[in-house]
Amino acid sequence: LNTLAEKGDQRAIIAMVARLKDTDEHVRRAAVEALKTLAAKGDQHAITAVAARLEDTDWEVRAAAAEALKALAEKGDQHAITAVAARLEDTDWEVRAAAAEALKALAEKGDQ
């Protein structure tokens, strides 16, 4: 995908956001991973779309979403921090681990 679109390409980002609702979890996970690469850091449209996948039924999609938010959101982004923090209680340990790593990167000292 990187050879087909450049970072920040809004048409590619819109196409990947649409794939986040695909019925196939592999497609959803691939879309999350593509957004992590395509969207610019701080792109609120991408952040909001990826954050919604933290509620996905598939644990791999949830874990990928936490990892993507770590790359996409700016340090201190309260929307991303709140969304990721909710996954610290996830039923899957890999999602909890990905959420903890994302929080380490996103939260500032003293954030609650």
Side-chain angles (χ1 to χ4, degrees), residues 14-98:
I14 290 167
M16 289 303 102
V17 167
R19 297 284 59 88
L20 291 174
K21 295 182 180 181
D22 197 276
T23 57
D24 185 320
E25 67 273 7
H26 299 99
V27 172
R28 295 192 306 273
R29 188 174 68 238
V32 166
E33 291 168 358
L35 283 167
K36 179 173 128 180
T37 303
L38 285 172
K41 191 162 192 79
D43 181 325
Q44 288 301 311
H45 181 239
I47 291 168
T48 299
V50 170
R53 294 288 37 110
L54 289 168
E55 301 294 327
D56 200 276
T57 57
D58 184 78
W59 73 266
E60 291 180 291
V61 175
R62 295 192 308 274
E67 291 169 12
L69 287 172
K70 176 180 164 184
L72 289 171
E74 301 278 358
K75 190 168 192 74
D77 182 319
Q78 287 302 308
H79 172 66
I81 290 169
T82 300
V84 169
R87 294 285 47 108
L88 292 173
E89 302 292 325
D90 198 274
T91 56
D92 188 273
W93 72 268
E94 291 182 64
V95 176
R96 293 191 304 270

